[in-house]
């Protein structure tokens, strides 16, 4: 008595499973590579944007700004002239102190 096959057979079934799983693996790998490339591109853009900006601490202005160098030089020159007048006896110590406070804005 001879047995008749009803299905594709064991070897053919295993081969079909191997082909299907191999195709699925290939497709899955391609999708993963595409996603990785897309995320890498987004990360690079974000890095480039961040690198082009200054850190927030450097962007902020200090609460106290020193006077411009010309103002400091001018005030120092005026105080030196007052000190010379005081040394010559033309100004009293009180007049010198008052004028000095006025120049310095105290």
């Amino acid at each position: 008595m001879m047995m008749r096959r009803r299905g594709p057979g064991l070897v053919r079934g295993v081969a079909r499973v191997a082909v299907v799983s191999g195709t699925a693996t290939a497709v899955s790998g391609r999708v993963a590579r595409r996603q990785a490339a897309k995320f890498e591109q987004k990360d690079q853009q974000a890095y480039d944007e961040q690198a082009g900006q200054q850190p927030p601490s450097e962007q902020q202005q200090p609460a106290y700004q020193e006077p411009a160098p010309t103002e400091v030089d001018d005030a120092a020159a005026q105080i030196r002239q007052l000190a010379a007048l005081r040394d010559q006896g033309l100004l009293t110590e009180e007049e010198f102190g008052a004028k000095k406070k006025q120049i310095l804005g105290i």
Side-chain angles (χ1 to χ4, degrees):
M1 194 158 126
M2 194 168 177
M3 293 184 90
R4 208 165 175 205
R5 285 190 204 170
R6 294 185 186 178
L10 182 63
V11 174
R12 186 178 278 173
V14 171
R16 182 176 293 155
V17 170
V19 169
V20 169
S21 67
T23 303
T25 303
V27 170
S28 170
R30 188 172 70 209
V31 169
R33 284 190 300 274
R34 281 184 185 172
Q35 286 179 342
K38 184 170 73 172
F39 289 130
E40 183 179 337
Q41 183 181 12
K42 284 183 180 181
D43 288 345
Q44 184 64 41
Q45 287 175 349
Y47 176 78
D48 292 342
E49 288 173 7
Q50 187 178 18
Q53 297 176 351
Q54 294 179 344
S57 61
E58 292 179 12
Q59 289 178 348
Q60 297 175 353
Q61 297 262 340
Y64 169 76
Q65 288 186 338
E66 294 185 23
T70 57
E71 293 176 19
V72 172
D73 294 340
D74 188 40
Q78 288 179 1
I79 293 172
R80 278 192 222 106
Q81 289 175 350
L82 289 173
L85 292 174
R86 181 195 62 199
D87 293 342
Q88 294 173 4
L90 300 173
L91 286 177
T92 64
E93 195 64 45
E94 292 82 24
E95 292 171 329
F96 172 75
K99 191 66 175 169
K100 180 178 169 185
K101 286 182 182 181
Q102 181 185 2
I103 293 170
L104 294 175
I106 299 175

